[in-house]
């Protein structure tokens, strides 16, 4: 007798949760069920607020291109880093955070032990092969009580997660399409970054990695 109790969706593997610090987790493949909705939503956001290269206060050009959505968007210029309610390119408010992203972020945060996460800022980074993000702390947000929820799409990346000084030793974690990293609480202000993306082609996203981080900035 064959038991046909499950349809295909029920056979999905549960998320594999990797804890890499006290309050820092990788949720492997957590975003996969949302990918189609995310890509459709991203297309709308990027139509209104396209990717652009930003300058650092030190006069360098960031290698990843950036955009934002939400009540607050992150910008960098010779004047410094800041969150702004207006996209300086269009002079208009940033597009709203798509519902699929809010749902995913809320659910990922709860899975990592951070209940009631309601982000108001969402940064979108596009990395071409060779692009990187140097070690930095996420500290332009007004309070550090909320976690950072970070979604990886497209080409893989090597994520570095360090200490509270730039020179502290780092852990390295490979991040793949669909992985979600959540860190907060005692780990909220740790230095982190992305090593240069290796050349490659992803079946859905081509020659790029997209990273989406959701934050409570205001
Ligand atoms: C960031 O730290 O803002 C981006 C991290 C990533 O691209 O995974
Ligand atoms: Fe960051």
């Amino acid at each position: 007798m064959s038991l046909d109790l499950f349809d295909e969706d029920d056979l999905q593997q549960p998320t594999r949760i990797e804890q890499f610090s006290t309050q820092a987790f990788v949720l492997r493949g957590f975003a996969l069920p949302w990918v189609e909705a995310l890509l459709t939503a991203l297309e709308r956001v990027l139509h209104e607020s396209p990717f652009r290269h930003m300058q650092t206060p030190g006069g360098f050009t960031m290698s990843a291109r950036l955009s934002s959505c939400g009540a607050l968007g992150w910008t960098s210029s010779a004047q410094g880093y800041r969150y702004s309610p207006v996209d300086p390119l269009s002079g208009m408010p940033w597009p709203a955070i798509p519902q699929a992203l809010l749902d995913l972020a809320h659910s990922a945060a709860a899975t990592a032990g951070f209940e009631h996460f309601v982000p108001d800022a969402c940064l979108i980074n596009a990395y071409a092969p060779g692009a990187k993000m140097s070690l930095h702390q996420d500290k332009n947000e007004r309070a550090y009580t909320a976690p950072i929820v970070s979604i990886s799409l497209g080409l893989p990346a090597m994520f570095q997660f360090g200490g509270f000084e730039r020179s502290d030793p780092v852990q390295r974690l490979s991040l793949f399409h669909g992985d979600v990293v959540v860190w907060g609480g005692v780990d909220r202000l740790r230095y982190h970054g992305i090593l240069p993306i290796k050349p490659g082609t992803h079946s859905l996203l081509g020659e790029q990695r997209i990273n989406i981080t959701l934050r409570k900035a205001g």
Side-chain angles (χ1 to χ4, degrees), residues 132-148:
K132 65 181 171 65
M133 183 83 63
S134 304
L135 284 175
H136 66 278
Q137 292 170 294
D138 289 356
K139 57 176 189 190
N140 297 135
E141 297 75 22
R142 184 164 293 163
Y144 305 133
T145 46
I148 305 285

Side-chain angles (χ1 to χ4, degrees), residues 37-135:
L38 290 189
L39 293 180
T40 307
L42 270 189
E43 211 172 301
R44 280 207 306 276
V45 166
L46 294 168
H47 181 74
E48 276 182 59
S49 285
F51 284 128
R52 76 288 308 260
H53 280 290
M54 289 191 191
Q55 307 296 316
T56 68
F60 293 99
T61 300
M62 295 178 70
S63 60
R65 293 178 305 148
L66 264 92
S67 186
S68 285
C69 55
L72 293 167
W74 188 84
T75 63
S76 173
S77 68
Q79 280 71 50
Y81 306 115
R82 67 187 191 102
Y83 280 101
S84 158
V86 168
D87 177 351
L89 264 192
S90 65
M92 302 282 289
W94 301 95
I97 303 179
Q99 192 60 44
L101 266 177
L102 291 172
D103 293 346
L104 166 48
H106 189 268
S107 172
T111 302
F114 301 97
E115 302 289 343
H116 315 298
F117 178 50
V118 183
D120 59 7
C122 173
L123 273 68
I124 311 160
N125 290 295
Y127 299 80
K132 65 181 171 65
M133 183 83 63
S134 304
L135 284 175

Side-chain angles (χ1 to χ4, degrees), residues 125 127 133 136 138 150 159 175 192 194 209 211 213 215:
N125 290 295
Y127 299 80
M133 183 83 63
H136 66 278
D138 289 356
S150 168
F159 181 62
L175 297 181
H192 58 280
I194 291 289
R209 169 175 187 262
N211 173 260
T213 48
R215 303 130 188 266

